[in-house]
Amino acid sequence: MAEVHIIGQILKAVDFAEPHLYCKWSLQSGNAWRLVQGEVQGQSHVAAHRLQSSSDFAQPLDIHLSTASVQGWPRLLVEVYAVNVLQQSWPVGYGFVHVPSTPGVHRLEIGTWKIAPNGLWQSLRERFGGGGAALSKTDLLYSGVERYKLQTLSSGKVIVELNLIFRKFDEYGVEFK
């Protein structure tokens, strides 16, 4: 079977209005893909920025996958959450990116969005640390089937650095240039 090694890190979140953030991540792929080693989901620590609009996570990724088909190519999903002094958390950004289909070093920027407040009360609650609306199903992030019904706002970006190693793809007729 062909193999993909994903080694890297979720570096940081930039341009978010909230100062205390953490990131939940997961790697989604099709039915032909199998996890050989590593974790396909995780969560970073809470990072705070005071002077910059950047929260540094440095969350390591080390995933080894095997596949017999390139169908269902892996994608990295991120959910960024804000935390207040009462340890309450709420989502402030959702986003995803397909893992690049070429080996080597890649620096990716994942643009994120959040659900827009639908009234004055929800807007005030989100503004003063009570939290915003959350998705009930994370497949809305990438499927688009029901996502068009949501009213969203742009939030920040998540910066990811990935080193990709591909093995045995030539045996399955896949060439990289």
Side-chain angles (χ1 to χ4, degrees):
M1 296 183 93
E3 299 177 17
V4 176
H5 295 266
I6 303 169
I7 304 164
Q9 60 182 327
I10 298 174
L11 291 173
K12 59 186 169 181
V14 295
D15 300 332
F16 283 89
E18 296 79 10
H20 304 282
L21 303 173
Y22 69 91
C23 181
K24 289 184 179 180
W25 63 272
S26 64
L27 190 77
Q28 304 283 328
S29 57
N31 294 332
W33 293 79
R34 187 175 61 86
L35 177 68
V36 175
Q37 190 174 11
E39 299 290 329
V40 292
Q41 64 183 14
Q43 177 177 317
S44 74
H45 61 280
V46 175
H49 65 79
R50 299 265 185 230
L51 302 174
Q52 309 170 20
S53 62
S54 170
S55 294
D56 296 326
F57 299 131
Q59 174 68 36
L61 302 173
D62 190 357
I63 306 163
H64 180 188
L65 302 169
S66 66
T67 185
S69 169
V70 293
Q71 241 180 354
W73 194 263
R75 57 186 162 244
L76 180 65
L77 282 65
V78 295
E79 301 174 46
V80 180
Y81 288 82
V83 180
N84 64 13
V85 294
L86 301 173
Q87 300 303 311
Q88 297 170 321
S89 64
W90 64 93
V92 293
Y94 296 103
F96 80 95
V97 66
H98 286 277
V99 171
S101 57
T102 55
V105 178
H106 303 274
R107 188 177 180 97
L108 309 171
E109 288 187 7
I110 306 172
T112 63
W113 53 269
K114 63 181 178 177
I115 299 173
N118 62 355
L120 179 63
W121 172 248
Q122 194 175 23
S123 181
L124 288 171
R125 183 173 175 227
E126 183 177 332
R127 178 93 173 141
F128 294 107
L135 291 178
S136 58
K137 300 181 288 183
T138 57
D139 63 338
L140 288 175
L141 283 173
Y142 54 84
S143 69
V145 174
E146 295 181 28
R147 190 174 59 201
Y148 74 93
K149 297 177 185 177
L150 295 173
Q151 292 185 351
T152 61
L153 295 172
S154 242
S155 42
K157 292 183 274 190
V158 176
I159 311 297
V160 178
E161 188 173 272
L162 299 177
N163 299 300
L164 303 175
I165 302 169
F166 292 4
R167 218 174 132 223
K168 299 182 185 176
F169 273 88
D170 54 343
E171 294 176 16
Y172 291 89
V174 178
E175 294 180 11
F176 299 102
K177 296 182 180 182

